[in-house]
Amino acid sequence: MFSTDNNPHSVAVGDFNNDNHLDIVTANYGTSTASVLLGYGNGSFATQRTFPTGSYPYSVAVGDFNNDNHLDIVTANYNAHNASVLLGYGNGSFATHKTFSTGSLPYLVAVGDFNNDNQLDIVTANSGSHSVSILLGHNNGTFETQMMFSTDYTPISVAVGDFNNDNQLDIVTVNVGRNVVSILLGYGNGTFATQMIFSSGYYQSSVAVGDFNGDSRLDIVGANVLAATAGVFLQIC
């Protein structure tokens, strides 16, 4: 085991110091920090370095948000109702975070290019406002004011993928309030169609996507925390 700050709620990986070894970053809910553990390439890691985020970060994702070929960090800050972006210097350290408003109580964050401009954008699942927030990225690590799109009650996880094979990224959330998933099809310009709702397992806590039956269509899997099961949605058309 390798120590992080208090109450790490989410983890992501990437090469943060450009040494071709994978490193680890955690979002530490208890201390409002991100911990970066640089990897040695042999399965061991250096002592953590911590970087302040916004208040109570619940999840973390990585991507190059300013096109400098260095990985950056984004956290969804639950109590602050925003996302923090920490631009990486390529040596394992990060600039002071910049915050961007989201909907209420963002639980999870993911990234993707939602408007086909070759810049990474951000999406958060907002459990308090029953919505997702889309923050379209510029090429300098800043983002436009959020656009919000409604989901069903209490979304706590989000994933991205092309679910209708139109080469545009779409969004799926799991919504614990009514045990459903919401799919929002993307138009390729940063906006999304009204959600489609599908029944899910009991109290799904997270969602991921992949082609599970080899038919070249993305499927969905959710973790049903109270039922101790995983529910798979196979795409049929």
Side-chain angles (χ1 to χ4, degrees), residues 19 25 29 55 57 59 61 64 84-85 150 157 166 168 195 222 235:
D19 64 353
V25 58
Y29 186 84
S55 179
S59 66
D64 180 5
S84 288
V85 173
S150 294
S157 184
D166 65 351
Q168 314 296 342
Q195 65 174 327
Q235 189 179 165

Side-chain angles (χ1 to χ4, degrees), residues 181-202:
V181 298
S182 294
I183 294 177
L184 294 82
L185 298 179
Y187 292 125
N189 61 0
T191 65
F192 293 82
T194 301
Q195 65 174 327
M196 298 182 290
I197 298 173
F198 301 89
S199 294
S200 67
Y202 185 46

Side-chain angles (χ1 to χ4, degrees), residues 70-140:
H70 303 318
L71 279 182
D72 311 311
I73 295 169
V74 57
T75 63
N77 305 318
Y78 187 77
N79 278 21
H81 317 299
N82 61 29
S84 288
V85 173
L86 294 80
L87 297 179
Y89 292 124
N91 60 2
S93 63
F94 294 82
T96 302
H97 68 280
K98 297 179 181 178
T99 58
F100 302 90
S101 294
T102 68
S104 176
L105 304 179
Y107 231 82
L108 196 134
V109 62
V111 301
D113 181 5
F114 301 120
N115 60 342
N116 293 309
D117 64 352
N118 296 314
Q119 312 294 337
L120 277 182
D121 310 311
I122 294 170
V123 56
T124 62
N126 307 316
S127 60
S129 53
H130 311 157
S131 65
V132 292
S133 291
I134 303 296
L135 293 84
L136 298 179
H138 302 300
N139 63 359
N140 58 1

Side-chain angles (χ1 to χ4, degrees), residues 9-61:
H9 266 262
S10 177
V11 63
V13 298
D15 181 6
F16 301 122
N17 60 342
N18 294 313
D19 64 353
N20 296 313
H21 302 318
L22 282 179
D23 310 311
I24 294 170
V25 58
T26 63
N28 306 314
Y29 186 84
T31 52
S32 297
T33 61
S35 291
V36 174
L37 294 82
L38 298 179
Y40 293 124
N42 60 1
S44 64
F45 295 83
T47 302
Q48 67 168 328
R49 302 176 66 183
T50 60
F51 301 89
T53 66
S55 179
Y56 297 100
Y58 219 97
S59 66
V60 62

Side-chain angles (χ1 to χ4, degrees), residues 2-13:
F2 300 91
S3 295
T4 68
D5 257 8
N6 199 24
N7 291 334
H9 266 262
S10 177
V11 63
V13 298

